[in-house]
Amino acid sequence: MALDLRALQKTVALGHSRMARIEAELNAADAVLGDGDTGSMLARVLERMAAVDLSRCPDLGTAFAELAKATLFATGSSLGTLLATALLSFSKASSGQESVTSARLAEMLEQAIVAMMQRGKASLGDKTILDSAKAIAARLAASESGMAAAAAAGAQAALEQFLPAPCKVGRARMFPEKSRGAHDPGMLALWLLLKPETRTDGHCKEP
Amino acid sequence: MALDLRALQKTVALGHSRMARIEAELNAADAVLGDGDTGSMLARVLERMAAVDLSRCPDLGTAFAELAKATLFATGSSLGTLLATALLSFSKASSGQESVTSARLAEMLEQAIVAMMQRGKASLGDKTILDSAKAIAARLAASESGMAAAAAAGAQAALEQFLPAPCKVGRARMFPEKSRGAHDPGMLALWLLLKPETRTDGHCKEP
Amino acid sequence: MKKLINHPADYVDELLEGLVLANPSLRREGASGRVICRAHPGRSGKVGIVSGGGSGHLPLFTGYVGEGLLDACSIGNVFEGPNAGSCMEAIRLADHGAGVLCLYGNYGGDRMNFDMACELLAGEGIPTLTVLGTDDIASASPTESEKRRGVAGIVYAYKAAGAAAESGANLEEVARVARKAVEATRTIGVALTPCRVPTSDVPNFQIGNDEIEMGMGIHGEPGIWRAKLGKADAVVEEMWERLLADRPIGAGSRVSVLVNGLGATPLEELFILYRRTHQILSGQGITVVQPLVGNYVTSMEMGGASLSVHLLDPELEELLLASARCPFWKI
Amino acid sequence: MKKLINHPADYVDELLEGLVLANPSLRREGASGRVICRAHPGRSGKVGIVSGGGSGHLPLFTGYVGEGLLDACSIGNVFEGPNAGSCMEAIRLADHGAGVLCLYGNYGGDRMNFDMACELLAGEGIPTLTVLGTDDIASASPTESEKRRGVAGIVYAYKAAGAAAESGANLEEVARVARKAVEATRTIGVALTPCRVPTSDVPNFQIGNDEIEMGMGIHGEPGIWRAKLGKADAVVEEMWERLLADRPIGAGSRVSVLVNGLGATPLEELFILYRRTHQILSGQGITVVQPLVGNYVTSMEMGGASLSVHLLDPELEELLLASARCPFWKI
Ligand SMILES: Nc1ncnc2c1ncn2[C@@H]1O[C@H](COP(=O)(O)OP(=O)(O)O)[C@@H](O)[C@H]1O
Ligand SMILES: Nc1ncnc2c1ncn2[C@@H]1O[C@H](COP(=O)(O)OP(=O)(O)O)[C@@H](O)[C@H]1O
Ligand SMILES: [Mg+2]
Ligand SMILES: [Mg+2]
Ligand SMILES: [Mg+2]
Ligand SMILES: [Mg+2]
């Protein structure tokens, strides 16, 4: 299993196609203690990302840079800017490469987490997308099977693990007690974007 | 039957005591096509009037002047200012007098109507307090019995007569059709202030 | 409809107290404190300009007291005319020996009280003239334009008359300029949400959650139509159609425009309204000079906006651009 | 929650278009039009001052671009940081050869984007320094004051830094003044009613018909307590207790005070709040210099108000009183 340009484009397209369904839920999750814009913001970001034609990119490095640029033009929100920071980090790490393995992607994600920590001044354990990224990286490193399944499993595990934890950054920080038992909107977004597609007959299939 | 200082003070006190009950109804009547303040404004005016100690006035002329002054300090509304105009006219007409007969009061009211028409630039028939005043003056001139009953009968007759008529002054003027079937708030106010007290057992007694 | 206030009956007095505490250029006067005048009166021999009206419209009226604008204001209870006593006091304070122009909106209560005051003061030897603001085209047909109410466009009359008075014009001349400014000005408003008079328990009108009313007055006086709120551009287009039908303005003309917020409408939206306004006018070859966008004449927390157009000629343009300074408008 | 707008996605671009059409002193720049700068740039050699943030707070941020205040602003979507590209563009436009101070409120998105921009521009040889507005005492305890968000009090930092830059101070000096102004400023707000982000269908928070929330942030960030709305004077008293507990101010001190409306709160109410404010401060022997009462930093149609205190020393007082002119503030 490896991530190449086509898989990347497909992942972006899938995320984009899901946004309409999950936008309101993410806004609502952010409205609990934040400003209620996570969903609308991500919808805008994914719309811009999906408009990028990655097939023309010579390598993954360029593709990630294009996605980062699209994000940086679409938003100035915390989540969007951290996402762009991660994409820029991916871009540097995959320059000249046409595909990366699951294990390499895990390493790249670890580096991106460091970049996001520098940019956002948050730490692991603060109940943010950093914790989701960490869990995803661990699954990717271990996984022999599908990247998508590993990513989804990581996002889900982090979401569940941190549900009872207090939030330690941003607006929700002031209300640690209120944030216990509420999903962090950024972590929830990763799960809803990465989770396996549910078929209408109730069965699951891999994305 | 005659109007003297005691009767005037009693009339003011009665009006004042009624305001709490009729304030909202008058506001609502004014809100149909006006700005909804007739009740609150009259409440303020009658509060100030009731605070005037008429027993110290040497004559009706002084008493009416004091009531006019109280009104002019309480409000700058159309209705209040016209009321003050009428009171000033009464004051001139009753200077040096300790009481006036029903017939004399009718004459005074006719003069006051002229003063209000000059001040307010409205005409008889426009569906305003002028029409109520005219009907009251007619009843007072004819009446041998109680002034209060005559005044009430005049206010009621005018109110009923003009209910289907279109309003021709002020804010309601633009909507003659909407004003048909709606009471003019100033005319309604006169009726509610002057109408005989209804006892809780359902019988009427003279105020 | 929540309000950050104390006792409703103290509303006007407390806000006037705060207004003068915050603005040392203003002074509060009058037996019952219902007059606001300049702390540093205009020079002797200057024609005085007085306005007034009900409270609830800040910055109108009291906020326009200042150099190049008003000398004094009498102020009534919320949405109620100023009482005759305060009108007399305001006129006396504004008189610097050259007479006083009473310049206010055409409302029954205001007119009656100012008229009473002027009649009484004629006896004291203070000459007065009166010019009424009648800019609201939704309030009467063109054939009855003298019955129209005065709304936001009155600020143009303040500006013109104020500049003329400051420049030394006599009373007749200042009144002529004020009349000219009124005649050159047209306004139409739309309302989205009501306000509540502090002494009342209910809003001043009812309107559906998705409705707009065209032509509603600033006290909630009924307008021309009510319908589902559509796009702002369409609203602006209809407002300009009505304004320009009432007072055709040819290509090559110069106008000032006031996009006025009624209180609760965000500045962001006013600029969206101005954007389309500018497009429409420049599309017709009309040049906009010194546009005004903001809350100039409000109705407390009412939602909505009005558009005013002030057709300039060289005289009015010079008066508009003359320097002026009051707490809410500095040129 | 009705809005006089067109398509929600066009909200920011259309309002910026209207803003510059109505204000010839402003120019719209940037690849995606998300930068507002002075039409007549500051003189060569002047330190540039840039701010920025999300839309929905007019007059903040773009309205403070002008002489003696800001040189340029980058502006994001409603309640969202400005993107890094527009921050770079704003900084470049503000650079007159003496470096640029980035002066904006302490919000995650804003900080990340300005930081990215500054890092990238260091490569281009434009020196920048950053000072963050952190005046909201409800947003973090005094021991974590660097985590506090920036709200209405930032206008005092604009004024001080803007005046210093105009007078020829160098970048370090302008940054020192800005930091000093931030440290001298404290704000607390109350919210009565929510607003709605145009792209959203629901208000940004829920609150009861008779409730007030103490300490709520300008985006609806939860505050300190929520209770039944009482008298305005009691609200003001608690706000001052909290402000003065956070930053004790001795008798004999001189301060400026900003009574800021969040959008839908009538000016009348702001003056009622100022009245009690003035009583409290003068009761403690504190002198108020140049009070500001009005909508300086809003959240669209949100209802409520904030009180800011800016403790003066001779240097800050001189900077506060120095002349300045932007579309919304003229001194
Ligand atoms: N400093 C930070 N470090 C890491 N993650 C962060 C940080 N700030 C915010 N986030 C993530 O972003 C999410 C909020 O995103 P969003 O609502 O779009 O941004 P904003 O707070 O600018 O409105 C949070 O749920 C959290 O996961
Ligand atoms: N010009 C006028 N002449 C006679 N009566 C008038 C005139 N204007 C108003 N009124 C009377 O006053 C009433 C309205 O009073 P009110 O609501 O207190 O005044 P306002 O219109 O100033 O709010 C009307 O119902 C009408 O009877
Ligand atoms: Mg958010
Ligand atoms: Mg009325
Ligand atoms: Mg009224
Ligand atoms: Mg946000």
Short mmCIF file of all heavy atoms in Angstrom, two decimals, chain C residues 9-57:
data_model
loop_
_atom_site.label_atom_id
_atom_site.label_comp_id
_atom_site.label_asym_id
_atom_site.label_seq_id
_atom_site.Cartn_x
_atom_site.Cartn_y
_atom_site.Cartn_z
N ALA C 9 -38.42 55.06 33.46
CA ALA C 9 -38.79 56.47 33.57
C ALA C 9 -37.56 57.38 33.64
O ALA C 9 -37.66 58.58 33.40
CB ALA C 9 -39.66 56.67 34.82
N ASP C 10 -36.40 56.80 34.00
CA ASP C 10 -35.18 57.62 34.09
C ASP C 10 -34.35 57.59 32.81
O ASP C 10 -33.28 58.20 32.73
CB ASP C 10 -34.29 57.11 35.25
CG ASP C 10 -35.01 57.19 36.58
OD1 ASP C 10 -35.83 58.13 36.73
OD2 ASP C 10 -34.78 56.33 37.44
N TYR C 11 -34.82 56.83 31.83
CA TYR C 11 -34.05 56.57 30.62
C TYR C 11 -33.49 57.85 29.98
O TYR C 11 -32.29 58.00 29.78
CB TYR C 11 -34.95 55.83 29.63
CG TYR C 11 -34.35 55.39 28.33
CD1 TYR C 11 -33.57 54.23 28.26
CD2 TYR C 11 -34.58 56.08 27.15
CE1 TYR C 11 -33.05 53.80 27.05
CE2 TYR C 11 -34.07 55.65 25.94
CZ TYR C 11 -33.31 54.51 25.89
OH TYR C 11 -32.79 54.08 24.70
N VAL C 12 -34.37 58.77 29.67
CA VAL C 12 -33.94 59.98 28.94
C VAL C 12 -32.99 60.82 29.79
O VAL C 12 -31.93 61.25 29.31
CB VAL C 12 -35.16 60.81 28.49
CG1 VAL C 12 -34.70 62.11 27.85
CG2 VAL C 12 -35.99 60.00 27.50
N ASP C 13 -33.33 61.03 31.05
CA ASP C 13 -32.48 61.89 31.87
C ASP C 13 -31.10 61.27 32.06
O ASP C 13 -30.08 61.95 32.02
CB ASP C 13 -33.15 62.17 33.21
CG ASP C 13 -34.36 63.07 33.02
OD1 ASP C 13 -34.23 64.07 32.30
OD2 ASP C 13 -35.44 62.75 33.54
N GLU C 14 -31.04 59.96 32.25
CA GLU C 14 -29.75 59.31 32.46
C GLU C 14 -28.89 59.32 31.20
O GLU C 14 -27.68 59.49 31.26
CB GLU C 14 -29.95 57.88 32.97
CG GLU C 14 -30.49 57.86 34.39
CD GLU C 14 -30.58 56.47 34.97
OE1 GLU C 14 -30.32 55.49 34.23
OE2 GLU C 14 -30.90 56.36 36.16
N LEU C 15 -29.54 59.12 30.05
CA LEU C 15 -28.72 59.11 28.84
C LEU C 15 -28.21 60.52 28.52
O LEU C 15 -27.07 60.68 28.05
CB LEU C 15 -29.47 58.49 27.66
CG LEU C 15 -30.49 59.31 26.89
CD1 LEU C 15 -29.85 60.10 25.75
CD2 LEU C 15 -31.54 58.39 26.32
N LEU C 16 -29.02 61.53 28.82
CA LEU C 16 -28.55 62.90 28.58
C LEU C 16 -27.41 63.24 29.54
O LEU C 16 -26.43 63.89 29.15
CB LEU C 16 -29.70 63.90 28.74
CG LEU C 16 -30.79 63.83 27.67
CD1 LEU C 16 -31.92 64.81 27.99
CD2 LEU C 16 -30.22 64.11 26.27
N GLU C 17 -27.52 62.75 30.77
CA GLU C 17 -26.44 62.97 31.74
C GLU C 17 -25.14 62.34 31.22
O GLU C 17 -24.08 62.96 31.23
CB GLU C 17 -26.86 62.36 33.08
CG GLU C 17 -26.06 62.86 34.25
CD GLU C 17 -26.50 62.19 35.57
OE1 GLU C 17 -27.70 61.85 35.72
OE2 GLU C 17 -25.62 62.00 36.43
N GLY C 18 -25.26 61.10 30.75
CA GLY C 18 -24.07 60.43 30.21
C GLY C 18 -23.52 61.13 28.98
O GLY C 18 -22.31 61.27 28.82
N LEU C 19 -24.43 61.59 28.14
CA LEU C 19 -24.02 62.27 26.90
C LEU C 19 -23.15 63.49 27.19
O LEU C 19 -22.10 63.67 26.56
CB LEU C 19 -25.27 62.69 26.11
CG LEU C 19 -25.03 63.50 24.83
CD1 LEU C 19 -24.52 62.61 23.70
CD2 LEU C 19 -26.31 64.21 24.38
N VAL C 20 -23.56 64.30 28.13
CA VAL C 20 -22.77 65.52 28.39
C VAL C 20 -21.53 65.21 29.22
O VAL C 20 -20.49 65.85 29.06
CB VAL C 20 -23.60 66.65 29.04
CG1 VAL C 20 -24.69 67.11 28.08
CG2 VAL C 20 -24.21 66.22 30.36
N LEU C 21 -21.59 64.18 30.07
CA LEU C 21 -20.37 63.80 30.80
C LEU C 21 -19.31 63.32 29.82
O LEU C 21 -18.12 63.58 29.98
CB LEU C 21 -20.68 62.69 31.82
CG LEU C 21 -21.38 63.14 33.10
CD1 LEU C 21 -21.81 61.92 33.92
CD2 LEU C 21 -20.46 64.04 33.93
N ALA C 22 -19.74 62.60 28.80
CA ALA C 22 -18.78 62.05 27.84
C ALA C 22 -18.35 63.07 26.80
O ALA C 22 -17.33 62.89 26.13
CB ALA C 22 -19.38 60.82 27.14
N ASN C 23 -19.12 64.14 26.65
CA ASN C 23 -18.82 65.13 25.61
C ASN C 23 -18.76 66.54 26.20
O ASN C 23 -19.79 67.22 26.26
CB ASN C 23 -19.88 65.07 24.51
CG ASN C 23 -19.80 63.78 23.73
OD1 ASN C 23 -18.89 63.57 22.93
ND2 ASN C 23 -20.74 62.88 24.00
N PRO C 24 -17.60 66.96 26.59
CA PRO C 24 -17.48 68.28 27.23
C PRO C 24 -17.87 69.41 26.28
O PRO C 24 -18.05 70.53 26.75
CB PRO C 24 -16.00 68.38 27.59
CG PRO C 24 -15.40 67.04 27.31
CD PRO C 24 -16.33 66.25 26.49
N SER C 25 -18.03 69.12 24.99
CA SER C 25 -18.45 70.18 24.07
C SER C 25 -19.95 70.45 24.20
O SER C 25 -20.45 71.40 23.62
CB SER C 25 -18.12 69.80 22.63
OG SER C 25 -18.93 68.71 22.22
N LEU C 26 -20.65 69.62 24.95
CA LEU C 26 -22.10 69.79 25.12
C LEU C 26 -22.42 70.19 26.56
O LEU C 26 -21.72 69.81 27.49
CB LEU C 26 -22.83 68.47 24.81
CG LEU C 26 -22.62 67.88 23.42
CD1 LEU C 26 -23.42 66.60 23.28
CD2 LEU C 26 -23.01 68.88 22.35
N ARG C 27 -23.50 70.94 26.72
CA ARG C 27 -23.95 71.32 28.05
C ARG C 27 -25.43 71.00 28.16
O ARG C 27 -26.18 71.12 27.18
CB ARG C 27 -23.74 72.82 28.25
CG ARG C 27 -23.29 73.20 29.64
CD ARG C 27 -22.96 74.68 29.71
NE ARG C 27 -24.17 75.47 29.45
CZ ARG C 27 -24.14 76.70 28.94
NH1 ARG C 27 -23.00 77.27 28.60
NH2 ARG C 27 -25.26 77.36 28.76
N ARG C 28 -25.83 70.58 29.33
CA ARG C 28 -27.23 70.25 29.55
C ARG C 28 -27.90 71.41 30.29
O ARG C 28 -27.38 71.87 31.30
CB ARG C 28 -27.32 68.97 30.38
CG ARG C 28 -28.70 68.41 30.45
CD ARG C 28 -28.67 66.98 30.97
NE ARG C 28 -30.02 66.54 31.21
CZ ARG C 28 -30.40 65.83 32.26
NH1 ARG C 28 -29.50 65.45 33.15
NH2 ARG C 28 -31.65 65.47 32.42
N GLU C 29 -29.04 71.84 29.80
CA GLU C 29 -29.69 73.03 30.36
C GLU C 29 -31.19 72.81 30.48
O GLU C 29 -31.70 71.74 30.13
CB GLU C 29 -29.44 74.23 29.43
CG GLU C 29 -28.03 74.77 29.47
CD GLU C 29 -27.73 75.50 30.77
OE1 GLU C 29 -28.67 75.95 31.44
OE2 GLU C 29 -26.53 75.62 31.10
N GLY C 30 -31.89 73.83 30.94
CA GLY C 30 -33.35 73.76 31.01
C GLY C 30 -33.84 73.36 32.38
O GLY C 30 -33.17 72.61 33.09
N ALA C 31 -35.03 73.87 32.72
CA ALA C 31 -35.61 73.62 34.04
C ALA C 31 -35.66 72.12 34.34
O ALA C 31 -35.39 71.68 35.45
CB ALA C 31 -37.01 74.21 34.11
N SER C 32 -35.98 71.32 33.33
CA SER C 32 -36.01 69.88 33.60
C SER C 32 -34.91 69.15 32.84
O SER C 32 -34.98 67.96 32.60
CB SER C 32 -37.40 69.31 33.27
OG SER C 32 -37.92 69.89 32.10
N GLY C 33 -33.87 69.89 32.48
CA GLY C 33 -32.69 69.24 31.89
C GLY C 33 -32.93 68.67 30.51
O GLY C 33 -32.21 67.78 30.06
N ARG C 34 -33.93 69.18 29.80
CA ARG C 34 -34.25 68.61 28.49
C ARG C 34 -33.76 69.46 27.33
O ARG C 34 -34.36 69.47 26.25
CB ARG C 34 -35.76 68.36 28.41
CG ARG C 34 -36.23 67.24 29.34
CD ARG C 34 -35.52 65.93 29.04
NE ARG C 34 -35.95 64.84 29.89
CZ ARG C 34 -36.99 64.06 29.66
NH1 ARG C 34 -37.74 64.27 28.60
NH2 ARG C 34 -37.29 63.07 30.46
N VAL C 35 -32.69 70.20 27.58
CA VAL C 35 -32.08 70.99 26.50
C VAL C 35 -30.58 70.68 26.48
O VAL C 35 -29.94 70.61 27.52
CB VAL C 35 -32.29 72.50 26.72
CG1 VAL C 35 -31.56 73.31 25.65
CG2 VAL C 35 -33.77 72.84 26.72
N ILE C 36 -30.06 70.47 25.28
CA ILE C 36 -28.61 70.31 25.10
C ILE C 36 -28.14 71.46 24.22
O ILE C 36 -28.73 71.72 23.17
CB ILE C 36 -28.28 68.96 24.42
CG1 ILE C 36 -28.76 67.78 25.27
CG2 ILE C 36 -26.77 68.85 24.12
CD1 ILE C 36 -28.01 67.54 26.56
N CYS C 37 -27.09 72.16 24.68
CA CYS C 37 -26.56 73.24 23.85
C CYS C 37 -25.04 73.16 23.83
O CYS C 37 -24.44 72.35 24.52
CB CYS C 37 -27.04 74.60 24.36
SG CYS C 37 -26.43 74.99 25.99
N ARG C 38 -24.44 74.00 23.00
CA ARG C 38 -22.98 74.02 22.94
C ARG C 38 -22.40 74.53 24.26
O ARG C 38 -22.90 75.50 24.82
CB ARG C 38 -22.51 74.96 21.83
CG ARG C 38 -22.96 74.60 20.45
CD ARG C 38 -22.15 75.42 19.44
NE ARG C 38 -22.81 75.49 18.15
CZ ARG C 38 -22.40 76.25 17.14
NH1 ARG C 38 -21.31 77.01 17.28
NH2 ARG C 38 -23.03 76.26 15.99
N ALA C 39 -21.32 73.91 24.71
CA ALA C 39 -20.65 74.41 25.91
C ALA C 39 -20.01 75.76 25.63
O ALA C 39 -19.96 76.63 26.51
CB ALA C 39 -19.60 73.40 26.38
N HIS C 40 -19.52 75.94 24.41
CA HIS C 40 -18.98 77.25 24.01
C HIS C 40 -19.92 77.82 22.95
O HIS C 40 -19.85 77.42 21.79
CB HIS C 40 -17.58 77.11 23.44
CG HIS C 40 -16.64 76.50 24.43
ND1 HIS C 40 -16.15 77.17 25.52
CD2 HIS C 40 -16.14 75.25 24.50
CE1 HIS C 40 -15.38 76.37 26.22
NE2 HIS C 40 -15.35 75.19 25.63
N PRO C 41 -20.80 78.73 23.36
CA PRO C 41 -21.83 79.21 22.44
C PRO C 41 -21.21 79.86 21.21
O PRO C 41 -20.07 80.33 21.24
CB PRO C 41 -22.59 80.24 23.27
CG PRO C 41 -22.24 79.99 24.69
CD PRO C 41 -20.87 79.39 24.67
N GLY C 42 -21.96 79.87 20.11
CA GLY C 42 -21.53 80.56 18.89
C GLY C 42 -21.30 82.04 19.17
O GLY C 42 -21.75 82.56 20.20
N ARG C 43 -20.62 82.70 18.25
CA ARG C 43 -20.29 84.11 18.48
C ARG C 43 -21.55 84.98 18.42
O ARG C 43 -22.53 84.64 17.77
CB ARG C 43 -19.26 84.58 17.46
CG ARG C 43 -19.75 84.49 16.06
CD ARG C 43 -18.83 84.92 14.97
NE ARG C 43 -19.43 84.41 13.73
CZ ARG C 43 -20.60 84.81 13.23
NH1 ARG C 43 -21.30 85.75 13.83
NH2 ARG C 43 -21.08 84.28 12.12
N SER C 44 -21.47 86.09 19.09
CA SER C 44 -22.57 87.05 19.10
C SER C 44 -22.85 87.50 17.67
O SER C 44 -21.94 87.76 16.89
CB SER C 44 -22.17 88.22 19.99
OG SER C 44 -23.00 89.33 19.75
N GLY C 45 -24.11 87.60 17.32
CA GLY C 45 -24.48 88.01 15.97
C GLY C 45 -24.70 86.84 15.03
O GLY C 45 -25.18 87.02 13.91
N LYS C 46 -24.34 85.63 15.45
CA LYS C 46 -24.58 84.46 14.60
C LYS C 46 -26.04 84.04 14.72
O LYS C 46 -26.61 84.04 15.82
CB LYS C 46 -23.68 83.29 15.04
CG LYS C 46 -23.78 82.07 14.12
CD LYS C 46 -23.01 80.87 14.64
CE LYS C 46 -23.90 79.91 15.43
NZ LYS C 46 -24.91 79.20 14.63
N VAL C 47 -26.65 83.68 13.61
CA VAL C 47 -28.01 83.13 13.66
C VAL C 47 -27.96 81.80 14.41
O VAL C 47 -27.08 80.97 14.17
CB VAL C 47 -28.54 82.91 12.22
CG1 VAL C 47 -29.82 82.08 12.24
CG2 VAL C 47 -28.78 84.25 11.55
N GLY C 48 -28.87 81.62 15.33
CA GLY C 48 -28.93 80.36 16.08
C GLY C 48 -29.72 79.31 15.32
O GLY C 48 -30.65 79.63 14.57
N ILE C 49 -29.32 78.04 15.47
CA ILE C 49 -30.10 76.96 14.86
C ILE C 49 -30.48 75.98 15.95
O ILE C 49 -29.63 75.48 16.68
CB ILE C 49 -29.31 76.26 13.75
CG1 ILE C 49 -28.89 77.30 12.70
CG2 ILE C 49 -30.16 75.17 13.11
CD1 ILE C 49 -28.15 76.72 11.54
N VAL C 50 -31.77 75.73 16.04
CA VAL C 50 -32.29 74.85 17.07
C VAL C 50 -33.01 73.69 16.40
O VAL C 50 -33.68 73.87 15.39
CB VAL C 50 -33.27 75.62 17.99
CG1 VAL C 50 -34.16 74.68 18.77
CG2 VAL C 50 -32.49 76.52 18.93
N SER C 51 -32.82 72.51 16.94
CA SER C 51 -33.64 71.39 16.51
C SER C 51 -34.19 70.71 17.75
O SER C 51 -33.99 71.18 18.87
CB SER C 51 -32.84 70.41 15.66
OG SER C 51 -33.72 69.48 15.05
N GLY C 52 -34.87 69.61 17.55
CA GLY C 52 -35.41 68.92 18.69
C GLY C 52 -36.36 67.84 18.23
O GLY C 52 -36.69 67.73 17.05
N GLY C 53 -36.78 67.04 19.19
CA GLY C 53 -37.68 65.94 18.87
C GLY C 53 -37.65 64.94 20.01
O GLY C 53 -37.13 65.22 21.09
N GLY C 54 -38.19 63.78 19.73
CA GLY C 54 -38.22 62.75 20.76
C GLY C 54 -36.88 62.09 20.94
O GLY C 54 -36.02 62.13 20.06
N SER C 55 -36.68 61.48 22.09
CA SER C 55 -35.47 60.69 22.32
C SER C 55 -35.56 59.35 21.60
O SER C 55 -36.62 58.96 21.14
CB SER C 55 -35.29 60.45 23.82
OG SER C 55 -35.00 61.64 24.48
N GLY C 56 -34.43 58.68 21.53
CA GLY C 56 -34.41 57.35 20.94
C GLY C 56 -33.82 57.33 19.54
O GLY C 56 -33.83 56.29 18.88
N HIS C 57 -33.30 58.47 19.08
CA HIS C 57 -32.78 58.55 17.71
C HIS C 57 -31.29 58.90 17.65
O HIS C 57 -30.81 59.36 16.61
CB HIS C 57 -33.55 59.60 16.92
CG HIS C 57 -35.01 59.34 16.82
ND1 HIS C 57 -35.51 58.20 16.23
CD2 HIS C 57 -36.09 60.07 17.21
CE1 HIS C 57 -36.85 58.25 16.27
NE2 HIS C 57 -37.21 59.36 16.86
#
